[in-house]
Amino acid sequence: MAELKFQERNYIEKLFDMKSGYVMDFSNRTFREFVYDTVKIDIDEEKYYENGGSKANRLRTFFKLESKQTVGLLIQGLLDYWLTQIHIGEMDYDETDEKLHKECTKIAENLKSDSIVEDIDAIEPNTDDEDFEKLSEAIKECIRNNKPETGLDRLHTFVTKYIRELCKKHGIKIKKEMPLHSIFGMYIKYLTTNGYIES
């Protein structure tokens, strides 16, 4: 859940022209498409109508309900859209708007950098294998970018390799084609049999 401070909300609402219930020049249809394309969430879901059905009210509710990472990604997307509209001459701007854009960019960066997984650095290889290191970084990147569906398969590969390395270090013989649950079962059996843990 993203807890935006009063001043942060004020900056965002001013830049995106939310006072009248709108969000920049979006129609209901284009706003829904934009949010979905940016964060893969349907802004027309009933839960976002908690404080009213205007685009601005749904965006405010989105900020309250979604994670910091997701809110940061959407704000960044809206900032990029704002810049595009300025560049193609669809919106006017002045020096105040430029300052607001800089402040909103800081807000988005702070939200995105507040990792959705507190212990993300725990995803570290237990061997010096370069490919293992790249796999670890790829998983972290998926988590940081809020793409769990992409990272899940890689995480499974990572855990399998991680447990295989643990078995290797303890001299536990495993077959190449064994699935993760079987390997993990053998590792747990080794730990309990040798008194490392008690069930």
Side-chain angles (χ1 to χ4, degrees):
M1 188 181 301
E3 294 291 339
L4 293 170
K5 296 174 184 175
F6 177 84
Q7 191 58 54
E8 291 175 331
R9 291 197 307 272
N10 201 26
Y11 287 146
I12 291 165
E13 298 212 3
K14 179 75 173 169
L15 185 66
F16 297 155
D17 199 21
M18 294 169 61
K19 188 177 180 181
S20 57
Y22 292 93
V23 176
M24 290 184 274
D25 59 351
F26 286 107
S27 66
N28 281 325
R29 179 184 61 80
T30 58
F31 186 55
R32 182 185 189 189
E33 289 174 357
F34 180 86
V35 174
Y36 189 80
D37 285 349
T38 307
V39 291
K40 298 295 181 276
I41 290 176
D42 186 357
I43 196 73
D44 278 357
E45 282 186 38
E46 188 178 338
K47 63 182 179 179
Y48 300 116
Y49 283 79
E50 179 185 302
N51 296 309
S54 72
K55 289 179 284 294
N57 278 335
R58 280 182 285 150
L59 186 57
R60 291 179 187 113
T61 304
F62 183 96
F63 290 164
K64 279 173 51 183
L65 297 179
E66 298 302 331
S67 69
K68 291 180 180 181
Q69 184 81 5
T70 302
V71 171
L73 287 169
L74 182 56
I75 291 172
Q76 186 60 62
L78 289 167
L79 289 168
D80 293 342
Y81 176 81
W82 182 87
L83 272 181
T84 300
Q85 295 304 90
I86 296 296
H87 289 153
I88 64 175
E90 290 294 320
M91 289 194 301
D92 296 323
Y93 75 103
D94 56 26
E95 191 176 321
T96 302
D97 291 325
E98 286 186 30
K99 290 177 181 176
L100 281 172
H101 186 272
K102 286 180 182 177
E103 290 300 327
C104 291
T105 300
K106 289 178 192 174
I107 294 166
E109 289 302 318
N110 287 338
L111 288 166
K112 288 191 298 178
S113 67
D114 196 335
S115 180
I116 57 173
V117 176
E118 290 183 8
D119 296 321
I120 192 171
D121 290 331
I123 305 173
E124 284 296 324
N126 54 356
T127 177
D128 292 333
D129 188 313
E130 188 178 339
D131 289 337
F132 203 8
E133 181 66 38
K134 287 179 182 176
L135 180 61
S136 166
E137 289 306 315
I139 294 165
K140 291 177 190 176
E141 193 63 25
C142 288
I143 292 171
R144 290 187 192 106
N145 291 327
N146 197 27
K147 294 180 179 177
E149 66 284 351
T150 308
L152 195 58
D153 184 57
R154 291 173 180 169
L155 185 59
H156 181 271
T157 304
F158 177 89
V159 174
T160 302
K161 189 169 177 62
Y162 194 93
I163 300 301
R164 281 183 178 278
E165 283 298 322
L166 287 176
C167 289
K168 184 178 175 183
K169 286 176 182 177
H170 291 288
I172 304 166
K173 292 183 179 179
I174 52 173
K175 295 180 180 177
K176 190 176 182 180
E177 66 277 5
M178 286 178 72
L180 175 59
H181 66 275
S182 298
I183 301 168
F184 199 73
M186 290 182 70
Y187 180 63
I188 295 298
K189 185 178 179 181
Y190 169 85
L191 293 178
T192 52
T193 302
N194 289 277
Y196 291 111
I197 59 172
E198 295 180 6
S199 61

